[in-house]
mmCIF file of all heavy atoms in Angstrom:
data_model
loop_
_atom_site.group_PDB
_atom_site.id
_atom_site.type_symbol
_atom_site.label_atom_id
_atom_site.label_comp_id
_atom_site.label_asym_id
_atom_site.label_seq_id
_atom_site.Cartn_x
_atom_site.Cartn_y
_atom_site.Cartn_z
ATOM 1 N N THR A 1 57.225 81.109 181.212
ATOM 2 C CA THR A 1 55.860 81.052 181.750
ATOM 3 C C THR A 1 55.490 82.348 182.552
ATOM 4 O O THR A 1 54.416 82.934 182.434
ATOM 5 C CB THR A 1 55.620 79.846 182.725
ATOM 6 O OG1 THR A 1 55.875 78.626 182.048
ATOM 7 C CG2 THR A 1 54.200 79.812 183.299
ATOM 8 N N ALA A 2 56.507 82.860 183.319
ATOM 9 C CA ALA A 2 56.325 84.027 184.114
ATOM 10 C C ALA A 2 56.246 85.203 183.161
ATOM 11 O O ALA A 2 55.383 86.094 183.395
ATOM 12 C CB ALA A 2 57.450 84.209 185.096
ATOM 13 N N LEU A 3 57.008 85.244 182.080
ATOM 14 C CA LEU A 3 56.971 86.321 181.132
ATOM 15 C C LEU A 3 55.576 86.298 180.381
ATOM 16 O O LEU A 3 54.979 87.398 180.225
ATOM 17 C CB LEU A 3 58.040 86.141 180.088
ATOM 18 C CG LEU A 3 59.477 86.603 180.432
ATOM 19 C CD1 LEU A 3 60.477 86.208 179.343
ATOM 20 C CD2 LEU A 3 59.557 88.120 180.649
ATOM 21 N N GLY A 4 55.176 85.152 180.000
ATOM 22 C CA GLY A 4 53.886 85.033 179.348
ATOM 23 C C GLY A 4 52.725 85.436 180.258
ATOM 24 O O GLY A 4 51.806 86.160 179.798
ATOM 25 N N GLY A 5 52.838 85.009 181.513
ATOM 26 C CA GLY A 5 51.786 85.322 182.446
ATOM 27 C C GLY A 5 51.684 86.826 182.697
ATOM 28 O O GLY A 5 50.555 87.375 182.813
ATOM 29 N N THR A 6 52.833 87.460 182.783
ATOM 30 C CA THR A 6 52.888 88.908 183.051
ATOM 31 C C THR A 6 52.328 89.659 181.847
ATOM 32 O O THR A 6 51.514 90.613 182.059
ATOM 33 C CB THR A 6 54.348 89.382 183.253
ATOM 34 O OG1 THR A 6 54.891 88.661 184.428
ATOM 35 C CG2 THR A 6 54.399 90.838 183.559
ATOM 36 N N ALA A 7 52.703 89.255 180.639
ATOM 37 C CA ALA A 7 52.211 89.924 179.432
ATOM 38 C C ALA A 7 50.619 89.762 179.379
ATOM 39 O O ALA A 7 49.956 90.700 179.067
ATOM 40 C CB ALA A 7 52.878 89.380 178.235
ATOM 41 N N LEU A 8 50.184 88.495 179.615
ATOM 42 C CA LEU A 8 48.751 88.211 179.472
ATOM 43 C C LEU A 8 47.989 89.085 180.472
ATOM 44 O O LEU A 8 46.879 89.610 180.157
ATOM 45 C CB LEU A 8 48.512 86.723 179.671
ATOM 46 C CG LEU A 8 47.054 86.257 179.539
ATOM 47 C CD1 LEU A 8 46.478 86.577 178.199
ATOM 48 C CD2 LEU A 8 46.937 84.823 179.934
ATOM 49 N N THR A 9 48.490 89.199 181.676
ATOM 50 C CA THR A 9 47.838 89.965 182.751
ATOM 51 C C THR A 9 47.774 91.407 182.339
ATOM 52 O O THR A 9 46.692 92.045 182.487
ATOM 53 C CB THR A 9 48.573 89.901 184.095
ATOM 54 O OG1 THR A 9 48.686 88.482 184.533
ATOM 55 C CG2 THR A 9 47.924 90.610 185.199
ATOM 56 N N PHE A 10 48.796 91.913 181.852
ATOM 57 C CA PHE A 10 48.817 93.408 181.468
ATOM 58 C C PHE A 10 47.835 93.626 180.359
ATOM 59 O O PHE A 10 47.010 94.584 180.403
ATOM 60 C CB PHE A 10 50.230 93.760 180.984
ATOM 61 C CG PHE A 10 50.311 95.119 180.370
ATOM 62 C CD1 PHE A 10 50.062 96.267 181.125
ATOM 63 C CD2 PHE A 10 50.582 95.307 179.009
ATOM 64 C CE1 PHE A 10 50.114 97.482 180.552
ATOM 65 C CE2 PHE A 10 50.624 96.486 178.437
ATOM 66 C CZ PHE A 10 50.338 97.658 179.198
ATOM 67 N N PHE A 11 47.888 92.829 179.262
ATOM 68 C CA PHE A 11 46.953 93.071 178.199
ATOM 69 C C PHE A 11 45.500 92.897 178.545
ATOM 70 O O PHE A 11 44.610 93.662 178.115
ATOM 71 C CB PHE A 11 47.343 92.132 176.975
ATOM 72 C CG PHE A 11 48.605 92.498 176.305
ATOM 73 C CD1 PHE A 11 49.578 91.517 176.164
ATOM 74 C CD2 PHE A 11 48.701 93.737 175.747
ATOM 75 C CE1 PHE A 11 50.805 91.900 175.521
ATOM 76 C CE2 PHE A 11 49.905 94.112 175.145
ATOM 77 C CZ PHE A 11 50.892 93.142 174.953
ATOM 78 N N ALA A 12 45.271 91.918 179.428
ATOM 79 C CA ALA A 12 43.912 91.702 179.845
ATOM 80 C C ALA A 12 43.347 92.828 180.651
ATOM 81 O O ALA A 12 42.226 93.329 180.474
ATOM 82 C CB ALA A 12 43.752 90.382 180.657
ATOM 83 N N LEU A 13 44.206 93.320 181.643
ATOM 84 C CA LEU A 13 43.748 94.433 182.485
ATOM 85 C C LEU A 13 43.587 95.698 181.660
ATOM 86 O O LEU A 13 42.624 96.397 181.851
ATOM 87 C CB LEU A 13 44.794 94.631 183.617
ATOM 88 C CG LEU A 13 44.955 93.536 184.618
ATOM 89 C CD1 LEU A 13 46.124 93.780 185.611
ATOM 90 C CD2 LEU A 13 43.629 93.314 185.431
ATOM 91 N N SER A 14 44.552 95.995 180.823
ATOM 92 C CA SER A 14 44.418 97.232 180.051
ATOM 93 C C SER A 14 43.263 97.230 179.086
ATOM 94 O O SER A 14 42.551 98.176 178.921
ATOM 95 C CB SER A 14 45.784 97.423 179.166
ATOM 96 O OG SER A 14 46.850 97.523 180.114
ATOM 97 N N ALA A 15 43.086 96.054 178.443
ATOM 98 C CA ALA A 15 41.888 95.952 177.524
ATOM 99 C C ALA A 15 40.604 96.096 178.198
ATOM 100 O O ALA A 15 39.652 96.760 177.704
ATOM 101 C CB ALA A 15 41.932 94.501 176.820
ATOM 102 N N TYR A 16 40.516 95.588 179.428
ATOM 103 C CA TYR A 16 39.251 95.703 180.213
ATOM 104 C C TYR A 16 38.906 97.112 180.407
ATOM 105 O O TYR A 16 37.741 97.564 180.190
ATOM 106 C CB TYR A 16 39.361 94.894 181.550
ATOM 107 C CG TYR A 16 38.202 95.159 182.399
ATOM 108 C CD1 TYR A 16 36.978 94.461 182.188
ATOM 109 C CD2 TYR A 16 38.205 95.997 183.530
ATOM 110 C CE1 TYR A 16 35.859 94.675 182.972
ATOM 111 C CE2 TYR A 16 37.143 96.182 184.328
ATOM 112 C CZ TYR A 16 35.965 95.496 184.048
ATOM 113 O OH TYR A 16 34.879 95.739 184.875
ATOM 114 N N VAL A 17 39.876 97.935 180.922
ATOM 115 C CA VAL A 17 39.671 99.321 181.229
ATOM 116 C C VAL A 17 39.403 100.165 179.907
ATOM 117 O O VAL A 17 38.507 100.978 179.881
ATOM 118 C CB VAL A 17 40.829 99.944 181.957
ATOM 119 C CG1 VAL A 17 40.555 101.477 182.247
ATOM 120 C CG2 VAL A 17 41.023 99.243 183.292
ATOM 121 N N LEU A 18 40.223 99.890 178.868
ATOM 122 C CA LEU A 18 39.998 100.660 177.622
ATOM 123 C C LEU A 18 38.757 100.360 176.927
ATOM 124 O O LEU A 18 38.164 101.172 176.278
ATOM 125 C CB LEU A 18 41.260 100.315 176.699
ATOM 126 C CG LEU A 18 42.626 100.846 177.190
ATOM 127 C CD1 LEU A 18 43.739 100.301 176.233
ATOM 128 C CD2 LEU A 18 42.621 102.355 177.309
ATOM 129 N N ILE A 19 38.317 99.143 177.020
ATOM 130 C CA ILE A 19 36.992 98.716 176.312
ATOM 131 C C ILE A 19 35.821 99.220 177.164
ATOM 132 O O ILE A 19 34.883 99.867 176.616
ATOM 133 C CB ILE A 19 36.956 97.209 176.140
ATOM 134 C CG1 ILE A 19 38.017 96.773 175.142
ATOM 135 C CG2 ILE A 19 35.566 96.800 175.648
ATOM 136 C CD1 ILE A 19 38.113 95.316 174.945
ATOM 137 N N THR A 20 35.808 98.961 178.480
ATOM 138 C CA THR A 20 34.610 99.362 179.283
ATOM 139 C C THR A 20 34.691 100.766 179.710
ATOM 140 O O THR A 20 33.646 101.348 179.970
ATOM 141 C CB THR A 20 34.599 98.431 180.504
ATOM 142 O OG1 THR A 20 35.703 98.684 181.419
ATOM 143 C CG2 THR A 20 34.595 96.977 180.179
ATOM 144 N N ARG A 21 35.891 101.397 179.787
ATOM 145 C CA ARG A 21 36.120 102.753 180.161
ATOM 146 C C ARG A 21 35.549 102.964 181.612
ATOM 147 O O ARG A 21 35.021 104.046 181.947
ATOM 148 C CB ARG A 21 35.497 103.806 179.132
ATOM 149 C CG ARG A 21 35.922 103.547 177.780
ATOM 150 C CD ARG A 21 35.553 104.783 176.846
ATOM 151 N NE ARG A 21 36.371 105.893 177.186
ATOM 152 C CZ ARG A 21 37.617 106.092 176.772
ATOM 153 N NH1 ARG A 21 38.221 105.217 176.027
ATOM 154 N NH2 ARG A 21 38.279 107.135 177.110
ATOM 155 N N LYS A 22 35.589 101.962 182.348
ATOM 156 C CA LYS A 22 35.158 101.984 183.765
ATOM 157 C C LYS A 22 36.061 102.803 184.627
ATOM 158 O O LYS A 22 37.292 102.714 184.515
ATOM 159 C CB LYS A 22 34.976 100.602 184.276
ATOM 160 C CG LYS A 22 34.224 100.482 185.635
ATOM 161 C CD LYS A 22 33.968 99.025 186.007
ATOM 162 C CE LYS A 22 33.185 98.945 187.269
ATOM 163 N NZ LYS A 22 32.859 97.562 187.622
ATOM 164 N N ASP A 23 35.427 103.537 185.517
ATOM 165 C CA ASP A 23 36.177 104.331 186.587
ATOM 166 C C ASP A 23 36.611 103.381 187.636
ATOM 167 O O ASP A 23 35.715 102.919 188.363
ATOM 168 C CB ASP A 23 35.360 105.525 186.999
ATOM 169 C CG ASP A 23 36.157 106.427 188.021
ATOM 170 O OD1 ASP A 23 37.344 106.095 188.246
ATOM 171 O OD2 ASP A 23 35.571 107.381 188.535
ATOM 172 N N MET A 24 37.902 103.139 187.807
ATOM 173 C CA MET A 24 38.455 102.264 188.811
ATOM 174 C C MET A 24 38.863 102.896 190.105
ATOM 175 O O MET A 24 39.521 102.279 190.953
ATOM 176 C CB MET A 24 39.562 101.363 188.231
ATOM 177 C CG MET A 24 39.286 100.741 186.855
ATOM 178 S SD MET A 24 37.875 99.562 186.925
ATOM 179 C CE MET A 24 38.556 98.288 188.057
ATOM 180 N N SER A 25 38.437 104.130 190.317
ATOM 181 C CA SER A 25 38.898 104.842 191.475
ATOM 182 C C SER A 25 38.377 104.284 192.744
ATOM 183 O O SER A 25 38.900 104.496 193.855
ATOM 184 C CB SER A 25 38.461 106.301 191.418
ATOM 185 O OG SER A 25 37.045 106.472 191.337
ATOM 186 N N PHE A 26 37.295 103.437 192.645
ATOM 187 C CA PHE A 26 36.714 102.831 193.821
ATOM 188 C C PHE A 26 37.711 101.797 194.495
ATOM 189 O O PHE A 26 37.484 101.379 195.672
ATOM 190 C CB PHE A 26 35.359 102.141 193.470
ATOM 191 C CG PHE A 26 35.614 100.907 192.603
ATOM 192 C CD1 PHE A 26 35.750 99.640 193.171
ATOM 193 C CD2 PHE A 26 35.588 101.022 191.258
ATOM 194 C CE1 PHE A 26 35.917 98.470 192.341
ATOM 195 C CE2 PHE A 26 35.753 99.896 190.434
ATOM 196 C CZ PHE A 26 35.938 98.643 190.970
ATOM 197 N N LEU A 27 38.754 101.443 193.774
ATOM 198 C CA LEU A 27 39.772 100.475 194.298
ATOM 199 C C LEU A 27 40.680 101.162 195.289
ATOM 200 O O LEU A 27 41.512 100.509 195.911
ATOM 201 C CB LEU A 27 40.557 99.854 193.147
ATOM 202 C CG LEU A 27 39.796 98.916 192.190
ATOM 203 C CD1 LEU A 27 40.738 98.548 191.102
ATOM 204 C CD2 LEU A 27 39.351 97.705 192.990
ATOM 205 N N GLY A 28 40.660 102.522 195.364
ATOM 206 C CA GLY A 28 41.592 103.257 196.131
ATOM 207 C C GLY A 28 41.702 102.813 197.590
ATOM 208 O O GLY A 28 42.804 102.629 198.155
ATOM 209 N N GLY A 29 40.533 102.656 198.205
ATOM 210 C CA GLY A 29 40.507 102.217 199.650
ATOM 211 C C GLY A 29 41.059 100.783 199.834
ATOM 212 O O GLY A 29 41.915 100.611 200.779
ATOM 213 N N MET A 30 40.801 99.864 198.932
ATOM 214 C CA MET A 30 41.279 98.532 199.093
ATOM 215 C C MET A 30 42.802 98.532 198.811
ATOM 216 O O MET A 30 43.573 97.786 199.430
ATOM 217 C CB MET A 30 40.578 97.618 198.063
ATOM 218 C CG MET A 30 39.125 97.345 198.476
ATOM 219 S SD MET A 30 38.323 96.158 197.317
ATOM 220 C CE MET A 30 38.037 97.319 195.972
ATOM 221 N N MET A 31 43.270 99.401 197.849
ATOM 222 C CA MET A 31 44.667 99.406 197.557
ATOM 223 C C MET A 31 45.515 100.000 198.759
ATOM 224 O O MET A 31 46.591 99.514 199.104
ATOM 225 C CB MET A 31 44.847 100.357 196.367
ATOM 226 C CG MET A 31 44.362 99.801 195.091
ATOM 227 S SD MET A 31 45.293 98.385 194.485
ATOM 228 C CE MET A 31 46.812 99.208 193.900
ATOM 229 N N THR A 32 44.938 100.962 199.441
ATOM 230 C CA THR A 32 45.586 101.512 200.599
ATOM 231 C C THR A 32 45.685 100.482 201.762
ATOM 232 O O THR A 32 46.745 100.342 202.333
ATOM 233 C CB THR A 32 44.780 102.794 201.154
ATOM 234 O OG1 THR A 32 44.712 103.766 200.158
ATOM 235 C CG2 THR A 32 45.534 103.338 202.435
ATOM 236 N N ALA A 33 44.556 99.768 201.957
ATOM 237 C CA ALA A 33 44.609 98.711 202.968
ATOM 238 C C ALA A 33 45.617 97.576 202.534
ATOM 239 O O ALA A 33 46.358 97.078 203.396
ATOM 240 C CB ALA A 33 43.160 98.164 203.210
ATOM 241 N N GLY A 34 45.571 97.231 201.364
ATOM 242 C CA GLY A 34 46.472 96.197 200.846
ATOM 243 C C GLY A 34 47.915 96.608 200.962
ATOM 244 O O GLY A 34 48.766 95.772 201.274
ATOM 245 N N PHE A 35 48.210 97.860 200.800
ATOM 246 C CA PHE A 35 49.561 98.325 200.878
ATOM 247 C C PHE A 35 50.101 98.036 202.315
ATOM 248 O O PHE A 35 51.200 97.551 202.551
ATOM 249 C CB PHE A 35 49.779 99.764 200.557
ATOM 250 C CG PHE A 35 51.031 100.411 200.906
ATOM 251 C CD1 PHE A 35 52.126 100.234 200.052
ATOM 252 C CD2 PHE A 35 51.201 101.127 202.082
ATOM 253 C CE1 PHE A 35 53.393 100.763 200.367
ATOM 254 C CE2 PHE A 35 52.444 101.753 202.424
ATOM 255 C CZ PHE A 35 53.532 101.555 201.527
ATOM 256 N N PHE A 36 49.298 98.414 203.268
ATOM 257 C CA PHE A 36 49.757 98.204 204.712
ATOM 258 C C PHE A 36 49.835 96.782 205.084
ATOM 259 O O PHE A 36 50.678 96.343 205.876
ATOM 260 C CB PHE A 36 48.848 98.978 205.663
ATOM 261 C CG PHE A 36 48.998 100.466 205.598
ATOM 262 C CD1 PHE A 36 48.081 101.261 205.012
ATOM 263 C CD2 PHE A 36 50.196 101.058 206.147
ATOM 264 C CE1 PHE A 36 48.249 102.642 204.990
ATOM 265 C CE2 PHE A 36 50.355 102.391 206.104
ATOM 266 C CZ PHE A 36 49.427 103.218 205.532
ATOM 267 N N VAL A 37 48.976 95.931 204.525
ATOM 268 C CA VAL A 37 48.984 94.488 204.754
ATOM 269 C C VAL A 37 50.347 93.870 204.236
ATOM 270 O O VAL A 37 51.028 93.114 204.839
ATOM 271 C CB VAL A 37 47.816 93.755 204.173
ATOM 272 C CG1 VAL A 37 47.996 92.230 204.239
ATOM 273 C CG2 VAL A 37 46.550 94.136 204.888
ATOM 274 N N ILE A 38 50.650 94.325 202.965
ATOM 275 C CA ILE A 38 51.832 93.816 202.315
ATOM 276 C C ILE A 38 53.113 94.350 203.073
ATOM 277 O O ILE A 38 54.055 93.534 203.272
ATOM 278 C CB ILE A 38 51.904 94.307 200.843
ATOM 279 C CG1 ILE A 38 50.907 93.560 200.012
ATOM 280 C CG2 ILE A 38 53.301 94.135 200.260
ATOM 281 C CD1 ILE A 38 50.718 94.101 198.588
ATOM 282 N N LEU A 39 53.083 95.585 203.526
ATOM 283 C CA LEU A 39 54.220 96.107 204.268
ATOM 284 C C LEU A 39 54.445 95.340 205.536
ATOM 285 O O LEU A 39 55.606 94.981 205.870
ATOM 286 C CB LEU A 39 53.892 97.606 204.555
ATOM 287 C CG LEU A 39 55.044 98.301 205.293
ATOM 288 C CD1 LEU A 39 56.359 98.289 204.511
ATOM 289 C CD2 LEU A 39 54.644 99.739 205.667
ATOM 290 N N ALA A 40 53.365 94.981 206.261
ATOM 291 C CA ALA A 40 53.420 94.285 207.544
ATOM 292 C C ALA A 40 54.026 92.868 207.252
ATOM 293 O O ALA A 40 54.851 92.392 208.039
ATOM 294 C CB ALA A 40 52.082 94.196 208.188
ATOM 295 N N LEU A 41 53.500 92.201 206.235
ATOM 296 C CA LEU A 41 53.945 90.849 205.920
ATOM 297 C C LEU A 41 55.398 90.841 205.418
ATOM 298 O O LEU A 41 56.149 89.902 205.715
ATOM 299 C CB LEU A 41 53.073 90.243 204.864
ATOM 300 C CG LEU A 41 51.650 89.849 205.340
ATOM 301 C CD1 LEU A 41 50.821 89.321 204.148
ATOM 302 C CD2 LEU A 41 51.705 88.835 206.432
ATOM 303 N N PHE A 42 55.784 91.867 204.738
ATOM 304 C CA PHE A 42 57.204 92.001 204.266
ATOM 305 C C PHE A 42 58.133 92.118 205.457
ATOM 306 O O PHE A 42 59.178 91.425 205.430
ATOM 307 C CB PHE A 42 57.319 93.165 203.293
ATOM 308 C CG PHE A 42 58.706 93.409 202.818
ATOM 309 C CD1 PHE A 42 59.302 92.678 201.874
ATOM 310 C CD2 PHE A 42 59.476 94.406 203.391
ATOM 311 C CE1 PHE A 42 60.636 92.759 201.447
ATOM 312 C CE2 PHE A 42 60.784 94.641 202.987
ATOM 313 C CZ PHE A 42 61.341 93.812 201.999
ATOM 314 N N VAL A 43 57.822 92.965 206.390
ATOM 315 C CA VAL A 43 58.620 93.122 207.499
ATOM 316 C C VAL A 43 58.708 91.791 208.334
ATOM 317 O O VAL A 43 59.767 91.340 208.793
ATOM 318 C CB VAL A 43 58.073 94.256 208.437
ATOM 319 C CG1 VAL A 43 58.873 94.325 209.734
ATOM 320 C CG2 VAL A 43 58.202 95.639 207.768
ATOM 321 N N ALA A 44 57.554 91.162 208.386
ATOM 322 C CA ALA A 44 57.494 89.829 209.150
ATOM 323 C C ALA A 44 58.407 88.815 208.464
ATOM 324 O O ALA A 44 59.076 87.996 209.101
ATOM 325 C CB ALA A 44 56.074 89.371 209.229
ATOM 326 N N SER A 45 58.428 88.855 207.125
ATOM 327 C CA SER A 45 59.189 87.855 206.400
ATOM 328 C C SER A 45 60.653 87.973 206.551
ATOM 329 O O SER A 45 61.409 87.082 206.448
ATOM 330 C CB SER A 45 58.842 87.978 204.828
ATOM 331 O OG SER A 45 59.336 89.152 204.280
ATOM 332 N N LEU A 46 61.129 89.233 206.918
ATOM 333 C CA LEU A 46 62.545 89.428 207.110
ATOM 334 C C LEU A 46 63.018 88.716 208.393
ATOM 335 O O LEU A 46 64.207 88.439 208.553
ATOM 336 C CB LEU A 46 62.779 90.937 207.252
ATOM 337 C CG LEU A 46 62.502 91.787 206.070
ATOM 338 C CD1 LEU A 46 62.773 93.253 206.394
ATOM 339 C CD2 LEU A 46 63.397 91.348 204.908
#
């Protein structure tokens, strides 16, 4: 199930960008914020 879910996620995401050719650079700010949130939670989980 995990293998199938990973494959499906990859194909869906890739197909979306390749078909729409949308510029996804607007995600940069959210990705930076998300990185620090994940880092903080990871340290807390230890």
Side-chain angles (χ1 to χ4, degrees):
T1 301
L3 282 172
T6 303
L8 182 62
T9 300
F10 170 68
F11 287 124
L13 294 173
S14 299
Y16 174 76
V17 177
L18 292 174
I19 292 173
T20 65
R21 308 194 71 80
K22 189 173 182 179
D23 184 0
M24 308 300 294
S25 59
F26 68 91
L27 293 174
M30 289 182 285
M31 293 289 287
T32 301
F35 171 78
F36 286 107
V37 170
I38 290 174
L39 182 62
L41 290 177
F42 176 75
V43 173
S45 70
L46 297 178

